[in-house]
Amino acid sequence: MKNRLTRFKRIGVFGAILAAVGFVFAPLAPGQNQAADAPRIAWYATLEGGLAEAKRSNRPILFTSAAPQCLGVSGIW
Amino acid sequence: MVEASRNFVCVRLATYESQAEADFMKSIYLDRTGMMKNTTFAILSPDGKKKLTKAGRGPFHEYRSASQMASGMDKIAKTYNVDAESATGDTNLPYAESVEIGLNISSADIIPMVVLFSGDEEKTKVLEQKMIPLAWKDDSIIGQFTYAKASQAEELSSLTGIEGDLETLNSILIVEPGQFGMSGKVLAQFDEKTSHEDLKAALVDTIANCKRMAKDHNGHVQLGIQLGIDWESEIPETDNEAVAAKKRMRGDK
């Protein structure tokens, strides 16, 4: 199973996700050698909430999406 | 880059958990075959209608490094004259769509969660007014929690350790997510009469002391499959490669 996972990672989907998530979200992963109280991005988790605040405050939007599950296993980006 | 992000409204949607949000993601980026991928990235105007950077699966389409991205974000923020007050004056909490999705996000981020629970809308607003200044104006707490709110007892079915009668409960619950984000343990609980100081102290204590499970990506996925965990998203996945890989790994035909 591990070999198949590794192969899948090489072919790109994990790579792309990790690149996207890791690059933007690196400050979010205390489990990955980050202090518990390290500064983190404060994310709106719904479009409705984020858009409402952006319009109210006239702030630009740092927008991203990612699935908090991998191959159906939850709890991981 | 975290500092640069404070001048932005940062929106990270859980892909495949809302059709309306998926429609928006599709308006931002589709692959060459016209399909929505697992991840999407762009910087957008405040109304969400104009792309201020290239859109793609991640920021690497526009930026080569985190420092370059921070610099680019600072330039964009200047064009919108973002000031300190607007950057910390958010008027609501950044709720997840549900407690269930919030727990999953919380587990994936490896951060604790705050759940506001009340069957009374007015009392929910009172609880929110306790949390909002801490969530957006306190440097030690900004970005350190996932948020969700609930008004029905069944929405809290995945949480353990709640004290009191759910029929009459009005509480801010501080929650430690489980390894797979399918359960959560209440670490502390406060009602609408709690003081700012007591609530802050509990939040800071949670940041420092809650259990954070380091996750090896492959190991987490392998264990999850072995345990039979199969997250069912709200809408079907459209990323062909991910769908095919899931079938292979789970032995589906």
Side-chain angles (χ1 to χ4, degrees), chain A residues 30-41:
Chain A
Q32 317 306 321
N33 302 318
Q34 190 181 22
D37 61 352
R40 292 182 174 79
I41 295 173

Side-chain angles (χ1 to χ4, degrees), chain A residues 1-9 11-14 16-21 23-25 27-32 36-51 53-77, chain B residues 1-2 5-15 21 24-25 38-47 57 59 65-66 69 86-87 89-91 94-97 104 107-110 136 143-144 180 182 207 212 214-215 217-218 220-222 229-231 237 241 245-246 248-250:
Chain A
M1 185 182 286
K2 190 170 183 178
N3 287 341
R4 295 176 75 179
L5 264 178
T6 305
R7 189 163 68 239
F8 176 54
K9 191 172 178 178
I11 67 174
V13 175
F14 273 160
I17 291 172
L18 287 174
V21 173
F23 187 78
V24 174
F25 309 140
L28 290 177
Q32 317 306 321
D37 61 352
R40 292 182 174 79
I41 295 173
W43 296 104
Y44 278 85
T46 65
L47 183 62
E48 184 183 12
L51 270 182
E53 177 55 28
K55 288 175 184 172
R56 188 201 67 78
S57 61
N58 195 41
R59 276 184 290 165
I61 299 168
L62 175 64
F63 179 84
T64 189
S65 70
Q69 51 95 0
C70 183
L71 307 185
V73 177
S74 51
I76 196 106
W77 292 110
Chain B
M1 210 184 70
V2 175
S5 79
R6 300 293 188 242
N7 290 325
F8 287 71
V9 173
C10 302
V11 178
R12 184 186 56 189
L13 304 181
T15 319
E21 291 182 347
F24 184 80
M25 288 175 224
N38 278 352
T39 61
T40 308
F41 169 85
I43 292 179
L44 306 173
S45 59
D47 63 4
R57 296 201 62 184
S65 67
M69 183 171 173
S86 65
D90 297 49
T91 57
Y95 293 120
E97 188 69 32
N104 191 4
S107 176
D109 275 346
I110 320 177
W136 294 114
Q144 303 289 349
F180 294 96
M182 302 186 93
I207 293 166
R212 297 178 194 258
K215 293 180 182 177
H217 192 101
N218 288 1
H220 181 88
V221 173
Q222 286 174 17
I229 289 171
D230 194 0
W231 177 265
E237 287 193 50
E241 289 170 278
K246 184 178 176 183
R248 278 200 309 275
M249 292 303 296
R250 290 182 175 273

Side-chain angles (χ1 to χ4, degrees), chain B residues 138-229:
Chain B
D138 192 307
D139 287 336
S140 65
I141 293 169
I142 298 171
Q144 303 289 349
F145 292 86
T146 305
Y147 295 89
K149 66 177 172 180
S151 59
Q152 305 290 325
E154 56 265 31
E155 296 175 77
L156 303 184
S157 59
S158 51
L159 302 184
T160 59
I162 302 170
E163 292 181 359
D165 181 358
L166 290 178
E167 293 300 319
T168 56
L169 197 68
N170 305 293
S171 283
I172 296 171
L173 308 171
I174 302 177
V175 176
E176 180 181 275
Q179 182 177 3
F180 294 96
M182 302 186 93
S183 63
K185 182 171 76 175
V186 175
L187 301 175
Q189 182 173 338
F190 296 92
D191 64 20
E192 69 270 26
K193 293 174 187 162
T194 190
S195 71
H196 176 89
E197 291 73 22
D198 286 350
L199 183 56
K200 177 175 175 174
L203 293 167
V204 169
D205 180 66
T206 299
I207 293 166
N209 297 314
C210 80
K211 185 178 173 187
R212 297 178 194 258
M213 194 170 294
K215 293 180 182 177
D216 163 69
H217 192 101
N218 288 1
H220 181 88
V221 173
Q222 286 174 17
L223 179 60
I225 291 173
Q226 286 168 11
L227 294 174
I229 289 171

Side-chain angles (χ1 to χ4, degrees), chain B residues 73-165:
Chain B
M73 288 169 65
D74 286 343
K75 285 179 188 168
I76 290 171
K78 277 182 186 168
T79 67
Y80 285 92
N81 298 316
V82 178
D83 59 26
E85 180 53 36
S86 65
T88 60
D90 297 49
T91 57
N92 215 332
L93 292 170
Y95 293 120
E97 188 69 32
S98 65
V99 173
E100 182 188 26
I101 293 174
L103 263 178
N104 191 4
I105 292 171
S106 193
S107 176
D109 275 346
I110 320 177
I111 61 174
M113 181 181 184
V114 170
V115 178
L116 272 57
F117 179 79
S118 177
D120 182 318
E121 209 169 302
E122 289 305 312
K123 287 184 176 173
T124 300
K125 287 179 184 170
V126 173
L127 297 174
E128 285 176 334
Q129 292 314 307
K130 297 277 180 187
M131 269 309 310
I132 288 171
L134 288 162
W136 294 114
K137 292 184 185 296
D138 192 307
D139 287 336
S140 65
I141 293 169
I142 298 171
Q144 303 289 349
F145 292 86
T146 305
Y147 295 89
K149 66 177 172 180
S151 59
Q152 305 290 325
E154 56 265 31
E155 296 175 77
L156 303 184
S157 59
S158 51
L159 302 184
T160 59
I162 302 170
E163 292 181 359
D165 181 358

